[in-house]
Amino acid sequence: MAASGCRGVRSILWKYGSCGKNFCLSRSKTVPQLPVRQICVSSSLWKKNLAAAGPQKFTQEFIDKQVEEFEIGKRHLANMMGEDPETFTQEDIDRSIAYLFPSGLFEKRARPVMKHPDEIFPKQTAVQWDAEGRPFHFLFYTGRQSYYSLLHDVYEKILAMERHQDKMRNKGLFASETKQILLTGSRWQLKEEIEEYLVENISDHGYMRLIQLLEKLLSMPYCSLEEDFILKFRKQLEVQSSKHEIPALQHDPQGVAFSVADGRRKTAKASITLRDSGSGNITINGRNYLHCFPLLQDREQLMFPLHFVGMLGRFDVEGSVEGSGHSAQAGALRLAISRALLSFVSEGEVERMRQAGLLTADPRIRERKKPGQEGARKKFTWKKR
Amino acid sequence: MAAGVLPRVRQVLRSPRLVSAVFSCHGQTFSSAAAAPDTAATEKILNFPLTQPDYFHLSELFTIKDLFEARVHLGHKKGCRHRLMEPYLFGSRLDTDIIDLEQTAEHLQRALNFTAHVAYRGGIILFVSRRRQFGHLIETTARECGEYAHTRYWKGGLLTNASIQYSPGVRLPDLILFFSTLNNVFQQHVGIRDAAKMNIPTMGIVDSNCNPSLITYPVPGNDDTPVAMEMYCRLFKMTINRAKDKRRQMELLKGISASV
């Protein structure tokens, strides 16, 4: 209706406008031609574009207020629980909340939680410019200031090293066999780790470029001058054998040394006591192992760890095992014997045993049967028609 | 002498008008220096340098002989020549184009003068170049001046989509200096067009294979030789430092006179 009314007005104005042309030019100024604009009335204009807004941003005042409320709440909680507000730690808070708000939810992250706001609200980059609007970092306008400034620094070090090399050559003190940095037992930090360090996203190409520059730095003769800087980007690999838990060596009232260890394979659970008596008997579940394991293969599995370290006749093995079948029981016992042996054996032997696979638990379990299939993998007969 | 006076008068007329035009049509919030000055002293500090043709005495920083020794006059071969660079060329010798150093000196003087005025008024200056050979030198120069540099891959919307690329409320550069107007594939750098779109004045060292059209203060010169680039970096660094020192001096004087 408004549109038709509009059109009506427009037609009247057009008539006046055309009449106006017959008069002298000054007349046309009194009746201006109003442009008709179709105003867009769709809701997409005033609705907030939620996708384009990005992740929610919290102001610094809001976060400060949250921190204040947290501190006050912590003291209230301590008073409620009858404890000292001054020495109320995060563990105490977690315990109190679990007591006051018991929750049977399986998802731990859905349970009620009271933590410091810094752990709850995601870390946001602080404002990067001063009061006049001038950014703090000289590479701000590249968009990736930390990454590019890192590249800049590494290149600067390369140039400095070349100048140092030239100076030494001029003085005649250049020595090609200078101290090298030890790189064994460490690896370059992964892209994710460097992203965490720089608090910025890097592309794969960018990561490769950084590693190339660091390798170039390493290839120079005087790289030992920048050892600390380079080692910041190398991660030490843990020595695998040190991760093994060696069972404590205990002693009998008679003075005989023994150790106890457990092992598992499929659903079989085994427990072994290794006594340093010097006989070489193996007793499982109170019976001789010949009766328990008539099959040679199973007995070989029991023998293998002792045979590997060469202490076949030294130990007395006493064990119990339950569950699963004979082969799994033998495997469980083997693992338990190997673990018990760790306390009688040297460091180098431990590494040898680890590399032989004696200390690795076999993770294979029975795969479940799926519906629509005969078994775990076997399908029903396929008929073409 | 009259001929010498006229370009200088033209320069005086050009720079304040352009500077004021730039600061008025630059849409973003500009520096506190250009915002409404409250006291007469601040007005004097800001407006007095604009009345002088060479307030910072930049003509003493270089001579045509220095430019020649830095091999600024060497252009590319005849086949690489850009049509629009022909007015700036002196001629060609053995197919190599020679840039007219008298014109270069004039243009360089104008560019340095403008840079000095921008730095004096607390403007943000961005050094841009896409030549890998000189990237480190330019970044170091920018850091030593206290200004900003971008010698890396230029992402699409850095200037035109700034509020999303950085954060809302970011201040864009007030002057962009291109130490080489071409990118690594011998095409015009995207920043020139983007700066023109955002009304940001640009200065560019245009070699004989570059297009000088969209650049506000083109400086015809060699952008391939290390000696030439080092000279340009040195000149711009000295200009910016001089302008900033002058500003600090004037602020101190104003502080002293206000307390008195």
Side-chain angles (χ1 to χ4, degrees), chain B residues 2-3 18 25 35 38 40 55 70 80 97 110 120-121 124 134-135 172 193 198 216-217 219 236 239 249-250:
Chain B
L18 194 59
C25 59
D38 17 43
Y55 183 69
C80 299
D97 288 334
R110 265 184 241 150
Y120 180 84
R121 296 166 84 96
I124 293 180
F134 309 116
L172 287 180
R193 189 201 67 193
M198 301 300 292
T216 334
Y217 290 92
V219 175
F236 279 95
T239 330
Q249 207 182 45
M250 298 297 266

Side-chain angles (χ1 to χ4, degrees), chain A residues 57 125 129 132-144 148-149 151-153 155-156 159 209, chain B residues 32 122-124 126 132 136 139-140 143 146-150 152 158 166-167 169-173 244:
Chain A
K57 289 195 167 55
T125 45
W129 47 81
E132 283 184 14
R134 290 186 73 100
F136 295 121
H137 202 277
F138 77 108
L139 289 176
F140 170 77
Y141 289 106
T142 56
R144 292 200 215 139
Y148 285 132
S149 90
L151 289 185
H152 179 84
D153 291 336
Y155 192 70
E156 182 111 31
L159 289 179
R209 179 95 190 94
Chain B
S32 54
I124 293 180
L126 185 63
R132 284 188 61 175
H136 186 85
E139 284 184 345
T140 321
R143 196 172 50 180
E147 297 296 339
Y148 307 86
H150 185 109
R152 310 285 176 170
L158 280 191
Y166 310 111
S167 297
V170 72
R171 183 179 154 189
L172 287 180
K244 287 183 174 174

Side-chain angles (χ1 to χ4, degrees), chain B residues 235-251:
Chain B
L235 284 175
F236 279 95
K237 187 167 76 164
M238 276 166 33
T239 330
I240 293 172
N241 285 336
R242 219 180 249 208
K244 287 183 174 174
D245 291 337
K246 192 79 189 188
R247 181 57 188 268
R248 256 173 267 149
Q249 207 182 45
M250 298 297 266
E251 295 277 343

Side-chain angles (χ1 to χ4, degrees), chain A residues 265-291:
Chain A
R265 171 88 214 276
K266 281 193 191 172
T267 28
K269 289 197 219 344
S271 176
I272 284 276
T273 315
L274 213 60
R275 262 175 252 274
D276 199 358
S277 43
S279 41
N281 300 328
I282 304 184
T283 315
I284 312 280
N285 286 344
R287 301 183 305 161
N288 197 6
Y289 72 120
L290 265 172
H291 299 302

Side-chain angles (χ1 to χ4, degrees), chain A residues 82-119:
Chain A
E83 299 201 22
D84 182 20
E86 303 300 324
T87 56
F88 206 55
T89 61
Q90 187 57 47
E91 282 151 15
D92 297 328
I93 296 177
D94 294 334
R95 211 171 16 88
S96 322
I97 296 287
Y99 171 72
L100 289 169
F101 302 98
S103 162
L105 295 173
F106 291 136
E107 177 66 62
K108 295 278 195 287
R109 286 178 294 184
R111 293 186 178 180
V113 79
M114 180 167 161
K115 282 204 172 359
H116 191 88
D118 283 343
E119 287 165 48

